[in-house]
Each structure stands twice: as C-alpha cells, then as structure tokens.
Amino acid sequence: MDQKQIQMVFLFFFFSLLDEDLAIQSTQHTIQKLNKSKADINNQHIVSELIKQLNAVRSTNRLNRISKEQRDFIQMPSGVSLGAWQQYHRESSSEDMLAVLLCRVLRISEYDVAAGLNVSKGTITHRLSRGLRELGRLITLGESLA
Amino acid sequence: MPRKKEYSDFMARELLLDFYEGHLDEVRKQALEETLRASEDLRDDLRALKEGLKYIDKLSESKISTRFFETVNEQKKSEQGLTARWRTLPAKYRLAIESSAILFVIILIVALIPQEYLPWKSDNHFYLSEVNRIKNTNDVEISESTPNTTIQAVESSERKQSEAIVEEPTNLTTTTMLLVNGNDKKTTPLPSPLPIATPSASPGGKVAAGKGEIYRLYMSSDNTEKLTPEVVQKILELGGVKAGEVQLGWMRKTGSYFHFSMPQSNYQSLTQYLQNFGPVRIVREPHVRVMPEGTVRLILWIERNGSENTDDDSSSERAD
C-alpha cells in the first residue's frame, strides 16, 4: 500500500472513532490485512476492509474519546474545528456519517463506496445528501448559538 | 415540446446535492428551481447542504504529520505486546477469559477458607440404609452402616410379610448388660450364653461413637400374646411414645417388637417391670439420632419361646 492509501485509512479511523490510539491500531491492523490479501488493493477493497475493522473495533471498545496526550498526528486546516464533527458524530446515524466520510472527506467515488458497502449507488447518494444536510444544520445551529 | 417536470418535496430534496453541484440537466434544473421557489423548507435544506459541504471540503484538507509514520513503525514493534493484543480481542473472548479468572479466584478462596467457617458446613453425619429383598421370601432386611459398628436395625415398612432381624453389636463401643430379677420365677434361660455386664472401653459405660444413643432390650416369653398388651400398657403409662413406623408391640411370628421413646426418668421403672417376666438383656449403642434431653429411645424385642432361632451374639437372627 502506498503512503496515500495509508493516510486515507488513518483518516477514516480517526474521524470515525475519534480515538487516536484506536485509530493507529486499527490502521495497522487494516494495512496488515490488506497487504496479506492477494487481490489487488483498490478502493472497493479498502472500503470493505475499513468497514469490517470499524465494526470489530466498535464491538470491543468504548469510543468517542480523544486521548489526553495530544499527538498532533492530524493537522487541521486553519479555521476548522473538530467540535462540529464530534457533535455530528454523536448525533447522526452511522450510515450517513460513513457516507460523508468516505465520499467527501476521503474522496472515494460513490460507485466504489457502494460496491465496498454492498449497496446501490442511489443509496449512497441518498445517505450522503442527508448526512450533509444534517451536518450543515448542526453547524448553522452551532453558529447561531455562539 | 418537452413535458414540464414537477417535483415533490421529497424528490426535490433528493436532487438538491446534484442541483448544487451542477449535475442536473436543464429541464430538471428548472423544475427544481421552481420547486425551491415554492418551498421555504427546501431552501433551508439547500442552505444547510451548502454549509455542510463547505465544512467537509475544509475537513478533507486535513493532513497527517510525519510523526504519524514514526509512531506507526514504533507501534509495529509493540503490537505483539499482551496489552495491545488484549484490546483487539473480540468482546466475547475477553468476557470469557475475565469471567473464568474471576471464577477461579472464587474457587480458590472457598478452598482456602477453613471449613468451619463455611455456612453450609454441617456436623451431621448421614448414614446409608439399604433395603434388600431376600430370595424366596418377602422379608425385608434393613441394615444401617455406621462407623465402627455393624448394627442391623429392626424396622420394616411391610407389616404383613416382613420379619424382624436382629443382630447383636460386636464392637466395644456399646454396653451390654443383663438384668435378672432374682425373685422372678418365670425366668427362662435364653438360648445362648450372654456376656455379663461388661462396661465398654469407655469409662463409666459412656457411649463412644455417635452423638445419640439407643437402648435395645431383649427378653423372651412363653406367652407373648398375653404379655405384649401388658407391656404396651406399661410403656404408655410411663410416658412412652411410639418412635418408629410400626405400632407399639408389633406382633410377629417370632415375637413382639416395641420401638418407642420415653422420659429417661422412667427408664428404670420400665426395666424393673420387665424383669418381672424374665431376664432382660440391654444393649446400649451409639446412634446418629439424638433425642431431646431427658428422653431415651428404646427398642424392645420380646421373643416367643419355641420359635426356631439361634440366639448367637455374632450372627443375625431370623424368625420363621
């Protein structure tokens, strides 16, 4: 796997688990599995493995905690707060959040995401649209309260 | 002329993303614009969509520092560690291991605690009773095995056909006495020589084994049919109460059987009364059943003279 793919995997686990330690472990685990796999490592394959690993981690660990030690692995763009994403992570449905994360943050095509998740493209589009509207609503609400 | 499209709010909402990103054809675009003009909610949704896209586009520009790759390489070495492996185990396996460990600790604690502190520890001894069917007869032989004794009890639940079997205890933990009334003219020698009163190994004739005790009285008579009711009457007068399952003075072919308890204070009176009818052999044995203080339990066997028995101390008697 190349560096770009590794970064993509880590970003996925970081934004979906919001736990740096777990994100690193999950990244390593996923990379090992993908490297062992004899099939070509394409985006569909990566999406499929990402979801499997995410489900496995969710069943065994408490989630949604940022470790106290700031490791500075992620360099956020200026003016962008992780708070909105954390709130969205808590309040949105998992499917919508994953669609937004895979399609818009990691920039994987909707077609590849649909194949990796074994659903139709229309389903991914629907989830994406709904997820983005929900995210925008939370951001607007947060700004109005600020 | 192409047909004018009209969209419901639901369809319009689904097409908002494509509309915003310019992926709709002209016809659909115009139709959606008309729908948006008519619906405030759809316009709000479109604004929310724009905000969401704006945020996500910025979030997607997040970069990973080089320290990440250094840490990943370090963690590769430590990922073999037990803690890391433990965290990645599925929950069901971790639960199974944790619960097994807790169970092991509990068992260890219970095993190490002295037994007297255990709440379920009991001082009671349980003895097994066997009920054996004897060949060709319907006799029932009941035997009780107690430590250091070879006693065969004389209780039967079948009144019509079972026979009482008596065996003399042979160990030293029992006390055997022979009471003879010197003035008794009806004394009939018992079939076999009996040991004269010899205290048991314990001083004072105390019962060595078991916490309770039972008195077994043996005597014989020519006329058990006449004697039995009199003895029953006397026992009742002295406060005796049936202790076994059969009635007091249960008549058998070879004799009469009495199993009762009575106040200890009247015990002497009873033995003196029985001596009027002949020698009385008394065997005092330890028994598992502990009677209330001041009460004694007795089994009296009056054998009918002339029945075909061999009164041997060391062997069991069988009545015809």
Side-chain angles (χ1 to χ4, degrees), chain B residues 79-177:
Chain B
E79 76 178 359
Q80 303 300 324
L82 203 57
T83 310
R85 277 188 176 176
W86 177 256
R87 282 191 79 185
T88 56
L89 265 180
K92 57 183 176 183
Y93 296 127
R94 287 201 297 185
L95 274 172
I97 293 169
E98 284 167 2
S99 53
S100 300
I102 291 169
L103 190 63
F104 175 75
V105 168
I106 290 172
I107 290 172
L108 197 65
I109 289 171
V110 170
L112 291 176
I113 288 177
Q115 288 198 348
E116 54 262 26
Y117 294 120
L118 294 174
W120 56 81
K121 174 70 179 167
S122 169
D123 287 336
N124 293 331
H125 297 287
F126 295 97
Y127 299 95
L128 300 177
S129 296
E130 292 181 355
V131 177
N132 297 318
R133 290 281 175 190
I134 300 172
K135 190 177 176 184
N136 294 330
T137 68
N138 290 323
D139 292 347
V140 174
E141 177 185 77
I142 299 173
S143 64
E144 290 178 359
S145 60
T146 58
N148 302 323
T149 64
T150 53
I151 298 169
Q152 287 186 351
V154 187
E155 289 260 300
S156 171
S157 61
E158 292 187 302
R159 297 184 177 192
K160 289 183 183 178
Q161 294 176 355
S162 60
E163 297 296 334
I165 299 169
V166 175
E167 179 180 347
E168 290 297 326
T170 56
N171 61 4
L172 293 177
T173 59
T174 62
T175 305
T176 306
M177 292 190 296

Side-chain angles (χ1 to χ4, degrees), chain B residues 35-291:
Chain B
T35 312
L36 276 168
R37 275 195 285 271
S39 173
E40 176 69 27
D41 287 341
L42 279 174
R43 289 198 293 274
D44 288 340
D45 286 341
L46 185 60
R47 275 193 285 273
L49 189 67
K50 285 178 187 174
E51 287 296 323
L53 278 168
K54 207 165 74 174
Y55 177 83
I56 281 297
D57 286 341
K58 285 184 183 173
L59 198 67
S60 64
E61 293 170 10
S62 304
K63 294 195 186 315
I64 299 179
S65 66
T66 52
R67 280 190 63 239
F68 165 73
F69 294 99
E70 292 167 12
T71 308
V72 165
N73 290 333
E74 282 173 14
Q75 289 243 353
K76 271 185 186 174
K77 294 171 191 172
S78 66
E79 76 178 359
Q80 303 300 324
L82 203 57
T83 310
R85 277 188 176 176
W86 177 256
R87 282 191 79 185
T88 56
L89 265 180
K92 57 183 176 183
Y93 296 127
R94 287 201 297 185
L95 274 172
I97 293 169
E98 284 167 2
S99 53
S100 300
I102 291 169
L103 190 63
F104 175 75
V105 168
I106 290 172
I107 290 172
L108 197 65
I109 289 171
V110 170
L112 291 176
I113 288 177
Q115 288 198 348
E116 54 262 26
Y117 294 120
L118 294 174
W120 56 81
K121 174 70 179 167
S122 169
D123 287 336
N124 293 331
H125 297 287
F126 295 97
Y127 299 95
L128 300 177
S129 296
E130 292 181 355
V131 177
N132 297 318
R133 290 281 175 190
I134 300 172
K135 190 177 176 184
N136 294 330
T137 68
N138 290 323
D139 292 347
V140 174
E141 177 185 77
I142 299 173
S143 64
E144 290 178 359
S145 60
T146 58
N148 302 323
T149 64
T150 53
I151 298 169
Q152 287 186 351
V154 187
E155 289 260 300
S156 171
S157 61
E158 292 187 302
R159 297 184 177 192
K160 289 183 183 178
Q161 294 176 355
S162 60
E163 297 296 334
I165 299 169
V166 175
E167 179 180 347
E168 290 297 326
T170 56
N171 61 4
L172 293 177
T173 59
T174 62
T175 305
T176 306
M177 292 190 296
L178 175 66
L179 301 178
V180 178
N181 186 351
N183 296 328
D184 183 17
K185 296 179 182 176
K186 297 179 183 177
T187 301
T188 306
L190 293 171
S192 66
L194 298 168
I196 304 302
T198 50
S200 66
S202 312
K206 291 183 182 176
V207 175
K211 292 190 176 179
E213 57 184 17
I214 187 170
Y215 292 80
R216 295 185 184 272
L217 288 70
Y218 303 94
M219 57 185 297
S220 65
S221 171
D222 293 330
N223 192 356
T224 54
E225 285 81 7
K226 186 182 174 219
L227 179 59
T228 298
E230 293 176 10
V231 173
V232 169
Q233 184 63 32
K234 188 63 179 175
I235 290 172
L236 293 174
E237 280 175 11
L238 292 174
V241 176
K242 177 180 82 115
E245 292 187 10
V246 300
Q247 80 252 18
L248 214 53
W250 179 32
M251 296 286 290
R252 308 303 312 145
K253 284 184 184 176
T254 53
S256 303
Y257 176 78
F258 304 75
H259 185 190
F260 59 98
S261 61
M262 67 185 299
Q264 194 166 12
S265 54
N266 292 339
Y267 170 72
Q268 288 292 335
S269 303
L270 178 67
T271 52
Q272 285 169 4
Y273 171 79
L274 291 174
Q275 287 171 41
N276 292 328
F277 303 102
V280 180
R281 187 176 68 211
I282 301 173
V283 180
R284 185 179 163 200
E285 300 167 355
H287 198 274
V288 296
R289 192 188 298 180
V290 178
M291 300 304 290

